[in-house]
């Protein structure tokens, strides 16, 4: 990764050849004189590109003190390289270095020192940090010595500690993933015969997780290892895909149980149904003729009728005086009840759905608890390792 920093780079050294006596103790010089005197050949070890500002004139300052001390200041915009380890992305912290030293002079010829100590030699303006994705936590300065085939060189280092802001990723990635997983678990509360609805839930959530994973990966550098976000999205994808597999399992056993239970319940219903039909036929056979009773009533197929003789003996009426046969023989209107019970058995909630309603949310909650507790608490360890580097 590269980062850009705008600095006022100040260097001070003493040249005995430039001592003078005069009315002024500090003599301001034109920056063009810098090419006429000796200046350090400082370069940035991890800089990829540096720009010296020249608008409206070269942004340089050169001052000479009477004892031969020179102050040389210039404004630079530096594009520097920052090695990053993204295992904890997007809850990662980094120490981005800025290294500079002499290009040609070894430590026997030129020695670099922090003139104002470790605390004040590097200062960051309060409103100077314009980072949208990072918080500047602080900086640490130091000094290193590197060896090469031409000798040993002094390298001055400054590490800027950066902590990534997670708000953007929570809004763009984490919340959509969590909502997608919750949406996939809504299908557990739908009827197991609602095949189209549950299929739409499963397929849509799987495709949504795939799209989120691709878009999140495009914003990352191409690294060969999995980041913290990758692990989170992988687990979310597993939950969503498991919900789809759960529906397929429930649907498969629902069809199998329908065929099996239908045959089983049909065998259980057939025997009492046939015996009832035989009894009805016997009753109809026995009641084919009217049997007159002592109280002038007649019984026809289980229903009693009274014979009323009117004043006109030529007319007779038959009055219904008893409840219908269905009232005396309740089994007649209950013959269809076994079919209703068998039909109702197909709409019962699957045991797999009942278990999934509890297991899936609990496991997802435990995963989120462990995930956030683990990565949020790793911040001190990251900062310590960066300081040691």
């Amino acid at each position: 990764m590269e980062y850009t920093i705008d600095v006022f780079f100040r260097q001070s050294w003493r040249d005995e050849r430039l001592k003078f006596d005069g009315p002024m103790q500090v003599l301001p010089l034109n920056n063009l004189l810098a090419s006429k005197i000796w200046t350090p050949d400082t370069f940035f070890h991890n800089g990829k590109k540096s720009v010296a500002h020249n608008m409206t004139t070269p942004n340089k300052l050169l001052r000479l003190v009477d004892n031969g001390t020179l102050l040389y200041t210039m404004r630079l915009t530096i594009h520097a390289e920052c090695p990053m380890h993204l295992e904890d992305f997007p809850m990662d912290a980094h120490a981005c270095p800025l290294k500079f030293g002499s290009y040609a002079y070894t430590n026997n010829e030129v020695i670099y020192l922090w003139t104002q100590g470790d605390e004040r030699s590097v200062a960051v303006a309060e409103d100077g940090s314009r980072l949208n994705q990072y918080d500047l936590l602080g900086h640490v300065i130091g000094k290193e010595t590197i060896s090469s085939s031409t000798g040993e060189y002094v390298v001055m280092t400054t590490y800027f500690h950066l902590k990534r802001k997670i708000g953007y990723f929570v809004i763009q990635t984490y919340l959509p993933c969590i909502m997608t997983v919750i949406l996939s678990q809504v299908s557990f509360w739908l009827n197991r015969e609602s095949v189209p609805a549950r299929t739409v839930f499963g397929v849509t959530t799987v495709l949504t997780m795939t799209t989120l994973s691709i878009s999140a990966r495009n914003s990352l550098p191409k690294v060969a290892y999995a980041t913290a976000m990758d692990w989170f999205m992988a687990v979310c994808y597993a939950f969503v895909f498991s919900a789809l597999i759960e529906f397929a399992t429930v649907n498969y056993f629902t069809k199998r149980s329908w065929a099996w239970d239908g045959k089983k319940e049909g065998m259980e219903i057939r025997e009492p149904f046939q015996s009832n039909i035989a009894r009805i036929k016997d009753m109809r056979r026995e009641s084919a003729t009217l049997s007159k009773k002592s109280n002038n009533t007649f019984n026809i197929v289980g229903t009693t009728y009274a014979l009323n003789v009117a004043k006109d003996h030529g007319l007779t009426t038959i009055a219904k005086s008893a409840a219908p046969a269905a009232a005396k023989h309740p089994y007649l209107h209950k013959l269809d009840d076994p079919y209703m019970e068998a039909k109702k058995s197909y709409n019962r909630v699957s045991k797999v759905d009942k278990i999934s309603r509890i297991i899936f949310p609990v496991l997802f909650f435990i995963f989120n608890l462990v995930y956030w507790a683990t990565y949020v608490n790793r911040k001190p360890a990251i900062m310590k390792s960066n300081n040691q580097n």
Side-chain angles (χ1 to χ4, degrees), residues 254-359:
T254 298
K255 291 183 178 180
R256 293 292 300 274
S257 63
W258 183 87
W260 187 76
D261 291 345
K263 292 181 180 179
K264 180 179 179 180
E265 293 180 2
M267 294 297 295
E268 294 176 353
I269 294 171
R270 188 177 294 113
E271 294 181 359
F273 182 76
Q274 291 177 351
S275 62
N276 289 334
I277 294 297
R279 292 175 58 186
I280 292 174
K281 290 181 178 179
D282 294 339
M283 291 174 60
R284 287 179 177 177
R285 192 178 300 110
E286 293 174 359
S287 303
T289 59
L290 298 176
S291 60
K292 185 176 180 181
K293 297 184 179 181
S294 59
N295 54 357
N296 295 328
T297 61
F298 295 89
N299 185 278
I300 301 176
V301 194
T303 305
T304 303
Y305 297 89
L307 179 65
N308 297 330
V309 181
K311 292 182 179 180
D312 189 357
H313 298 282
L315 300 175
T316 60
T317 60
I318 298 176
K320 186 177 180 180
S321 62
K328 291 187 177 181
H329 302 281
Y331 59 85
L332 292 178
H333 70 275
K334 292 184 178 180
L335 291 176
D336 292 336
D337 286 349
Y339 288 107
M340 297 299 295
E341 294 296 329
K343 186 176 180 180
K344 291 180 180 179
S345 66
Y346 302 150
N347 295 323
R348 290 177 297 183
V349 179
S350 171
K351 292 182 179 180
V352 179
D353 280 340
K354 290 182 179 180
I355 296 174
S356 299
R357 292 174 184 176
I358 300 174
I359 296 298

Side-chain angles (χ1 to χ4, degrees), residues 102-113:
S102 176
Y103 183 82
Y105 297 104
T106 63
N107 57 3
N108 295 326
E109 298 169 330
V110 174
I111 298 176
Y112 283 81
L113 299 173

Side-chain angles (χ1 to χ4, degrees), residues 69-130:
T69 301
L70 291 102
L71 175 64
Y72 187 39
T73 301
M74 63 183 70
R75 183 188 175 195
L76 301 174
T77 297
I78 305 169
H79 301 271
E81 182 180 3
C82 178
M84 288 187 172
H85 300 281
L86 301 175
E87 289 86 353
D88 297 333
F89 176 87
M91 279 117 6
D92 50 343
H94 305 280
C96 293
L98 183 62
K99 301 180 180 181
F100 60 91
S102 176
Y103 183 82
Y105 297 104
T106 63
N107 57 3
N108 295 326
E109 298 169 330
V110 174
I111 298 176
Y112 283 81
L113 299 173
W114 296 108
T115 57
Q116 298 184 7
D118 295 344
E119 298 295 332
R120 301 177 56 188
S121 294
V122 177
V124 179
E126 295 181 358
D127 58 344
S129 177
R130 297 185 297 272

